[in-house]
Amino acid sequence: MLVNALLAVAVTVAPTAPSAEYELAYSNAVKLEQAQASCMKAAGLQYLPDNIVKSVRTETERKALNGDVKAMRQLRAEEGFGIWSEVKEAETKEHPNDKIVDSLPAAKLKAYKAAQEQCFVKAVKTVLNKDVSSKEDYEQQVDLAIAEAEEELNKDVKLAKLSKSFASCLKIKKAAKPTDVAEAKRKEIIEARTDMAEKQGVTTSDQQRVTAAGEEELPLPKVSEAQVKPLLKKEIKAALDDLECGKDFYAAYEPAAWKLKQKVYAEYGVPFAW
């Protein structure tokens, strides 16, 4: 089984060079933008492709993704699960083509967006050889591919055994899959943050922000730095307690999960940081 092989060679040393998946994901992302621009030009419309930048992580972040518990502890001591720190550090990003879309009169906007959607569908077929009906369908297929990769993790005997002791430490009484146990405490923080945003009437459509590859975009509540501070402090404690319970589990789970996700990102042209 693929996951068993990954677990067998899992190490806690950060790679010294970007993976082949990193390069392919970046290359496919660039080609998707270029293909859309060519398609729109053929339709007599202008499209400004996004500038896909190769992103990098710190050595500590790379070690954490590869199962180094010490590195994970260092990161969690600073930002917990990365939930409330995301609110504090959230930044907006405009696609270069937004300027064109925003300048169009209402009479032309609908036709332009329809052409843009059609060109995206064609680009995905040309570059990735995948059939999608819309950008939304493409995003759903990415989510499904990640979910299927996670199911591979859930089938692994070693991870299942480690997750049972982890779940017991977390006081999770009913049987849970390894992926569910890994996300249990993080999910509680996300749900609390989302609930706050919804009570404020905030939706994802109100925000344009940079999200990590493969991460579901969720509404961010409107909070001050002073309001975030105690919430982040509480999250950090929860994240460190979670890691203490699951350090043996995460040492095996993280590198396997990261390897599988990279394959999905490369396949679908989703650029990710190395």
Side-chain angles (χ1 to χ4, degrees):
M1 183 187 288
L2 172 61
V3 177
N4 282 329
L6 291 174
L7 289 173
V9 299
V11 294
T12 58
V13 178
T16 57
S19 65
E21 288 81 8
Y22 171 84
E23 297 294 348
L24 182 56
Y26 170 80
S27 175
N28 280 339
V30 171
K31 289 177 181 177
L32 281 173
E33 288 294 316
Q34 292 173 339
Q36 289 176 79
S38 296
C39 176
M40 292 291 277
K41 184 177 181 180
L45 299 168
Q46 186 183 11
Y47 176 87
L48 294 177
D50 196 4
N51 179 30
I52 309 296
V53 179
K54 284 188 173 183
S55 301
V56 297
R57 301 176 189 270
T58 65
E59 183 179 1
T60 300
E61 289 170 335
R62 289 198 292 274
K63 283 183 176 180
L65 283 170
N66 283 277
D68 188 313
V69 175
K70 183 179 178 181
M72 291 180 70
R73 186 177 292 112
Q74 182 179 334
L75 292 179
R76 290 191 181 202
E78 296 172 358
E79 57 185 41
F81 294 110
I83 308 304
W84 283 110
S85 61
E86 182 184 32
V87 175
K88 188 171 68 172
E89 299 168 5
E91 58 180 296
T92 59
K93 179 191 175 184
E94 290 188 0
H95 190 291
N97 200 60
D98 289 346
K99 294 179 181 179
I100 292 177
V101 175
D102 293 342
S103 68
L104 292 173
K108 293 184 178 180
L109 184 59
K110 185 175 181 180
Y112 182 93
K113 285 188 173 181
Q116 188 177 350
E117 184 91 317
Q118 289 176 1
C119 282
F120 177 79
V121 169
K122 289 180 181 178
V124 171
K125 181 63 176 179
T126 301
V127 177
L128 306 177
N129 194 29
K130 292 186 179 297
D131 295 312
V132 299
S133 59
S134 63
K135 188 168 185 178
E136 182 180 3
D137 180 38
Y138 161 84
E139 292 169 350
Q140 289 175 347
Q141 287 192 32
V142 173
D143 290 341
L144 178 60
I146 291 176
E148 290 175 345
E150 289 179 343
E151 282 307 307
E152 287 297 311
L153 295 170
N154 290 330
K155 294 175 184 176
D156 185 82
V157 176
K158 180 181 178 180
L159 284 181
K161 183 177 180 180
L162 289 170
S163 70
K164 283 184 179 179
S165 58
F166 183 17
S168 177
C169 184
L170 291 178
K171 294 181 172 54
I172 297 176
K173 296 181 179 180
K174 62 180 182 179
K177 300 176 182 178
T179 52
D180 291 337
V181 179
E183 290 292 314
K185 293 301 177 183
R186 181 176 182 271
K187 188 177 180 180
E188 288 179 6
I189 306 294
I190 290 177
E191 288 176 347
R193 192 191 71 180
T194 302
D195 184 56
M196 181 184 292
E198 290 176 346
K199 286 179 179 178
Q200 294 175 347
V202 178
T203 65
T204 53
S205 61
D206 297 327
Q207 302 160 331
Q208 286 182 304
R209 60 189 181 83
V210 178
T211 56
E215 290 291 325
E216 182 182 359
E217 187 171 351
L218 297 168
L220 297 178
K222 298 174 183 177
V223 289
S224 66
E225 188 170 341
Q227 289 174 305
V228 168
K229 192 173 181 179
L231 294 168
L232 179 57
K233 184 178 179 179
K234 183 178 179 181
E235 179 188 338
I236 287 173
K237 184 182 184 308
L240 290 173
D241 290 345
D242 175 82
L243 181 60
E244 188 58 33
C245 273
K247 54 189 176 184
D248 293 336
F249 170 81
Y250 283 122
Y253 177 87
E254 287 297 317
W258 180 229
K259 197 72 177 176
L260 288 170
K261 283 183 179 179
Q262 287 184 68
K263 290 182 180 296
V264 174
Y265 299 156
E267 182 182 350
Y268 282 87
V270 180
F272 60 90
W274 166 76

